[in-house]
Amino acid sequence: MDALLKPWPWYVAGPLIALIMVLLILMGKRFGMSSNLETFCSIGGAGKFTDYFKVDVKSKRWNLLVVLGSVIGGFMGAKWLSPNPAVGISDKTVAKLKDLGFESAGTTYLPTELFSLESLSSPKVWIILLVAGFLVGFGTRYAGGCTSGHAISGLSNLQRASLIAVIGFFIGGLIMVHWLFPLIFTS
């Protein structure tokens, strides 16, 4: 049980991910989470309104199981396999986040200032979450996939577009954290 309660080292997790990617490549499958939204919309009948969602849902069922497994695994990991809810980030980062008003920094994975029922009473939180959700959704479709699809599946298939997308994700993340994040959250 102790092995499940601690993070796995790179030399265990990395080869496991590589093995899964080899199996997916051999089966002619692509891994990614954002494509499941398209499948969910197709199942929900979006194909009646636009041809984009007229896809063969049966061929994508396997990836829906990945989503289900991620949800169940995430719940189990958070509920029973996380002995310490604190996040392992540097004291300097915790201090910067607390200066921006995140008192829960370093104590929880999701800041309660944004992800709690009490925070939903703030219009600023709603605007931030809605704009962020739109930007993530737009960026995912514009890039032709999400970070997991490009960084894991696309790079393992040596796709140039995935390399460009992953570089863009990192540049965007750096811009967000170092320039935009402090602008949004300084009072």
Side-chain angles (χ1 to χ4, degrees):
M1 191 65 180
D2 193 43
L4 291 176
L5 294 176
K6 293 183 180 177
W8 290 0
W10 65 268
Y11 52 84
V12 174
L16 286 174
I17 292 170
L19 175 66
I20 290 168
M21 290 313 307
V22 167
L23 292 172
L24 287 174
I25 290 169
L26 290 174
M27 294 186 313
K29 305 285 186 190
R30 288 179 155 183
F31 173 77
M33 288 296 179
S34 64
S35 59
N36 289 305
L37 180 57
E38 174 186 295
T39 306
F40 284 127
C41 290
S42 298
I43 291 170
K48 295 175 188 173
F49 304 104
T50 179
D51 290 341
Y52 178 80
F53 292 107
K54 290 182 181 174
V55 296
D56 178 23
V57 175
K58 289 184 180 180
S59 68
K60 298 183 178 194
R61 284 187 300 196
W62 73 273
N63 213 7
L64 295 176
L65 291 175
V66 172
V67 173
L68 182 63
S70 297
V71 170
I72 293 170
F75 175 78
M76 289 173 55
K79 189 78 172 165
W80 297 301
L81 300 176
S82 298
N84 183 3
V87 183
I89 55 177
S90 73
D91 292 335
K92 186 177 175 183
T93 302
V94 170
K96 282 185 177 184
L97 288 170
K98 287 190 178 190
D99 286 345
L100 293 173
F102 291 95
E103 292 302 319
S104 64
T107 62
T108 181
Y109 283 95
L110 295 174
T112 55
E113 292 80 10
L114 288 177
F115 298 99
S116 67
L117 291 176
E118 294 82 27
S119 69
L120 293 178
S121 63
S122 167
K124 179 180 178 179
V125 169
W126 276 98
I127 292 168
I128 289 169
L129 294 177
L130 288 172
V131 170
F134 173 79
L135 291 173
V136 167
F138 176 80
T140 298
R141 285 296 76 188
Y142 187 72
C146 60
T147 52
S148 61
H150 279 298
I152 298 172
S153 188
L155 289 180
S156 67
N157 284 313
L158 304 176
Q159 294 178 9
R160 182 180 302 166
S162 291
L163 178 60
I164 293 167
V166 169
I167 290 169
F169 296 150
F170 275 94
I171 291 170
L174 290 171
I175 289 169
M176 177 62 195
V177 167
H178 292 289
W179 293 332
L180 298 177
F181 198 82
L183 289 175
I184 294 169
F185 292 106
T186 48
S187 302

